[in-house]
Amino acid sequence: MVPRIVLLVTSPRLPAGLLTAHTWDLVRSCPVLAAAEHPQVAALRAAGVPVRIVATGQIEAMLAAAVDGDVVWLASPDGDQTMARTLGLRLAREPGLAELELCYGSWDPPGARLLDAVAVIDRLMAPDGGDPWKRAQTHRSLARYLIEECYEAYDAIVADDAEALREELGDLLLQVVLHARLAQELPEDERWSVDEVAGDLVAKMIRRNPHVFAGAKVADMAEIVDNWESIKQAEKSRASAMDGIALAQPALALAAKILERAARSVAPPSLPVPPPDPFAGEDALGAALLDLVAAAGRAGLDPEAALRRAALAHAAAVRAAETR
């Protein structure tokens, strides 16, 4: 019977020793070899599993150990891919020596690469050997980059460019993780980390989606939205429907949001009457534009997106005219 060489791969993003039951049975029943000391080696040894370190001649050492039966190679955090490829080619040429089997002792759960993002930012923010530019930043100095990245992600969405959107969301994630890392440098009674950011998000999503997490019954999408808004209002304890509106957004989007919130107010006032001459001054023009935004909202249109599309179309027409 041809012996097996089992290449045991584990996730470096999970705690060492967190392995499947099948993996524990495997390492307790076969000799275990590894290229170097690493946390998974220490975890196996702590559980009473002997691990032999083979720094050179690894393939020959595995083949020699496999003469007496199955043997396990505990891969390094990088997976020992070069060695595994070489071993695979050797066994393809000499299939009688052993069979090569890949075993995943643990694997990355969804979102595991977020841990890498946090680790990279920690390295960049390190006082010794980190990036001086990032260490010099503050929440305020980074604010404009956050806005720029949001607009670039928006551009990718409008262009239906999924690849660009993936990249831009990565840039947005950088801003989130970097702001959270900067917050760890605040005074002790003010500091927080990315874990608090994620924890707050999870708690908020569970609270605001009782139809998913608490068995609440909803009739339709409109009721889901109404529940979200009522729960949000109870959380924020806002005195006015105008509280919490992002004032830094573009004027058309700001006007649309104010009108949307006003519709939920207890006693929304009437809009200013559009003047006969909308160009009599800025106040007249503002009232006319506000009336137009309100009409767009009633029609279910997004005035910000509409003006943006029209402006870009005109820009394209200008370019075409210049070419001609």
Side-chain angles (χ1 to χ4, degrees), residues 171-191:
D171 291 341
L172 265 177
L173 179 60
L174 166 63
Q175 295 298 312
V176 172
V177 179
L178 184 53
H179 276 283
R181 183 60 182 79
L182 288 171
Q184 291 181 238
E185 308 291 329
L186 295 172
E188 186 173 356
D189 60 338
E190 299 176 27
R191 70 182 57 151

Side-chain angles (χ1 to χ4, degrees), residues 227-265:
N227 284 348
W228 176 283
E229 293 299 336
S230 62
I231 294 169
K232 180 178 179 180
Q233 186 173 1
E235 289 172 356
K236 300 293 185 180
S237 299
R238 288 171 174 163
S240 168
M242 298 295 101
D243 291 346
I245 294 176
L247 302 180
Q249 60 188 304
L252 270 182
L254 175 62
K257 176 59 70 174
I258 288 174
L259 291 171
E260 176 191 331
R261 290 282 194 88
R264 301 192 215 123
S265 181

Side-chain angles (χ1 to χ4, degrees), residues 189-210:
D189 60 338
E190 299 176 27
R191 70 182 57 151
W192 41 269
S193 71
V194 71
D195 289 319
E196 279 78 20
V197 174
D200 290 347
L201 171 63
V202 169
K204 180 189 293 184
M205 291 301 99
I206 291 174
R207 287 194 311 270
R208 294 190 186 177
N209 291 278

